[in-house]
Amino acid sequence: VSMSFRTPAEAVELANNSRYGLAASLWTENINLALDIAPRLKAGTVWVNCTNQFDAAAGFGGYRESGFGREGGKEGLYEYVKPFWESRLGKEPVQQMPRFAPLGVATDQDGPQIDRTAKLYIGGRQLRPDGGYSNAAYDAIGRVIAEVPAGNRKDIRNAVEAARAATGWSAATAYNRAQVLYYIAENLDQRADEFVRRIAQLSGKDASAARVEFDLCIRRIFTYAAMTDKYDSRVHATPFRNITLAMREPLGVIGIVAPEEAGLLGFVSTVMPAIAMGNRVVVVPSQHYALLATDLYQVFDTSDLPGGVVNIVTGDQEVLGEVLARHLDIEGMWYWGSRRGSRLVEEEAAASMKRTWVNYGLYHDWTDDEQGQGEAFLRHATEIKNIWIPYGE
């Protein structure tokens, strides 16, 4: 079909009005216009003033319902290999969940002076759950210390809509995203004592062990803040009279089911690499450690993080994870839970061809700098667009 357009912006809108995105061909006499339009096209390969150019040195693959993964180039090799540390994931969690003591042990403990019900965090606002229900939050000895919202399908829908509306974050410069992440770490560190107490309260750790976990969270945020402008694009050496740019772009909206046993560290280790690369996330935090996530959104509110970049929906991880996997407006899904849940996520995500990253019931050692952070997280948070730009007369 041939269609006319009035402005380049309208041409981009017409071109992207498709469920598919394998390749695009862009023709113009203005190279500046080409370099402006090519990154805005939702396709895995964009040929400028040419078409059907292929080479083993450059990756080829699609966006959206044209699939994911790449053939050729370094990105194509990742379809056949995996980091060595993935072969060392365990079948038993490194950090065990607290085992509640008998009620008699806790009879002399004081309860909370004021009943507290945390809220969901959607679009930069603290919201009550759509269903109006909440679940009890327990400390390490089994006392009820607060109420946590029980999110449902409508809350996930609202969170995804808020995430999709926060497109300014993906368009922001890497430097700007880095400054926001540094600010989050600085403000979180100002509340160190409060979070250390909460970690100890929920996990049963002593104060020194809780401090170690908190300090590791701060270092991890700083790491991903530093990587926002370090994990950048590359130029492929294709044997044609052209420059082939391999641009790393954010997936868009990623659904994340955080590891249940890892508390604040698991939340930070999964959310921060995703937003560092320019994605917006809808995250279901650990059920037992949900209060750490709801405490954290107060830090987001004071750290210049735009509304909708991080959306927190607490509740049953298995139920909400299935809703996220089925959602058609999410580009990626990360899940750290059971083997059954991993299989369900992959099956439900197949209908929309969203990228998935699951653990098949195996456990990361989130305290380990190799398993808990690194290039693998950044790679799963981005996709590669290859732009072929010819040169010469």
Side-chain angles (χ1 to χ4, degrees):
V1 178
S2 296
M3 303 175 68
S4 61
F5 57 88
R6 290 165 294 183
T7 65
E10 184 181 7
V12 171
E13 186 175 356
L14 290 171
N16 289 338
N17 187 24
S18 169
R19 293 179 298 163
Y20 306 103
L22 184 59
S25 189
L26 172 64
W27 300 82
T28 177
E29 294 180 347
N30 187 336
I31 191 63
N32 290 327
L33 183 61
L35 295 176
D36 175 49
I37 298 299
R40 295 159 61 185
L41 297 175
K42 295 297 183 182
T45 299
V46 179
W47 294 295
V48 176
N49 292 342
C50 59
T51 188
N52 284 358
Q53 298 293 314
F54 302 98
D55 189 78
F60 180 78
Y63 279 22
R64 297 176 171 177
E65 291 190 31
S66 290
F68 52 86
R70 294 293 182 267
E71 299 175 355
K74 184 177 181 180
E75 55 266 34
L77 293 176
Y78 285 122
E79 304 301 319
Y80 302 94
V81 299
K82 64 180 181 181
F84 179 71
W85 59 260
E86 288 193 12
S87 64
R88 294 188 281 110
L89 299 181
K91 294 183 178 181
E92 295 294 332
V94 176
Q95 178 175 321
Q96 300 291 336
M97 294 292 294
R99 295 184 177 181
F100 294 156
L103 287 178
V105 176
T107 54
D108 59 342
Q109 300 290 334
D110 295 329
Q113 295 181 351
I114 299 177
D115 290 338
R116 180 191 171 213
T117 300
K119 304 295 187 293
L120 305 179
Y121 189 62
I122 298 175
R125 295 186 299 157
Q126 301 178 31
L127 300 176
R128 292 178 175 83
D130 173 79
Y133 295 101
S134 59
N135 299 320
Y138 299 91
D139 65 8
I141 59 175
R143 285 186 305 143
V144 176
I145 56 175
E147 299 287 333
V148 178
N152 62 18
R153 177 178 56 84
K154 290 185 178 180
D155 296 313
I156 292 291
R157 177 200 64 188
N158 295 339
V160 173
E161 289 178 356
R164 295 217 68 84
T167 55
W169 180 253
S170 298
T173 64
Y175 174 80
N176 178 257
R177 294 198 302 271
Q179 295 306 302
V180 173
L181 264 66
Y182 283 130
Y183 200 12
I184 290 173
E186 292 165 3
N187 285 335
L188 180 60
D189 189 58
Q190 290 297 313
R191 297 174 57 181
D193 292 341
E194 174 189 345
F195 275 87
V196 167
R197 285 195 301 270
R198 178 72 81 186
I199 292 171
Q201 181 185 36
L202 296 177
S203 66
K205 295 178 179 179
D206 59 34
S208 60
R211 171 66 70 169
V212 170
E213 178 178 335
F214 178 81
D215 290 343
L216 184 55
C217 291
I218 297 295
R219 293 202 303 273
R220 206 148 279 180
I221 298 174
F222 273 115
T223 296
Y224 287 119
M227 290 301 295
T228 55
D229 57 357
K230 309 297 187 302
Y231 190 67
D232 51 10
S233 305
R234 66 180 68 236
V235 178
H236 286 314
T238 51
F240 300 97
R241 290 179 59 82
N242 63 64
I243 297 173
T244 306
L245 302 178
M247 296 184 60
R248 300 189 191 275
E249 297 185 338
L251 295 186
V253 178
I254 299 179
I256 298 176
V257 177
E260 171 66 20
E261 76 286 352
L264 181 64
L265 182 59
F267 184 94
V268 167
S269 299
T270 53
V271 170
M272 290 303 154
I275 67 173
M277 293 295 100
N279 297 285
R280 295 90 71 194
V281 301
V282 177
V283 56
V284 180
S286 164
Q287 291 173 247
H288 178 74
Y289 293 101
L291 286 179
L292 284 166
T294 58
D295 290 341
L296 192 59
Y297 61 56
Q298 298 169 5
V299 176
F300 294 154
D301 279 339
T302 57
S303 302
D304 294 338
L305 186 71
V309 176
V310 176
N311 303 276
I312 303 172
V313 181
T314 58
D316 190 312
Q317 285 193 316
E318 297 302 315
V319 173
L320 297 179
E322 182 178 354
V323 174
L324 280 171
R326 289 179 176 177
H327 205 291
L328 299 179
D329 237 6
I330 293 177
E331 284 78 22
M333 178 74 188
W334 295 359
Y335 174 89
W336 282 276
S338 66
R339 186 176 184 84
R340 174 185 173 278
S342 298
R343 183 172 64 249
L344 179 64
V345 165
E346 291 190 324
E347 290 173 352
E348 297 297 342
S352 57
M353 295 290 287
K354 64 170 62 70
R355 287 175 57 175
T356 59
W357 191 19
V358 300
N359 66 334
Y360 305 108
L362 300 177
Y363 292 95
H364 286 64
D365 181 358
W366 294 99
T367 63
D368 182 75
D369 284 341
E370 188 179 31
Q371 296 187 26
Q373 71 176 23
E375 183 181 346
F377 291 84
L378 302 177
R379 190 173 71 250
H380 282 282
T382 56
E383 53 189 348
I384 303 294
K385 173 187 291 180
N386 284 277
I387 303 177
W388 296 65
I389 306 171
Y391 60 82
E393 293 293 334

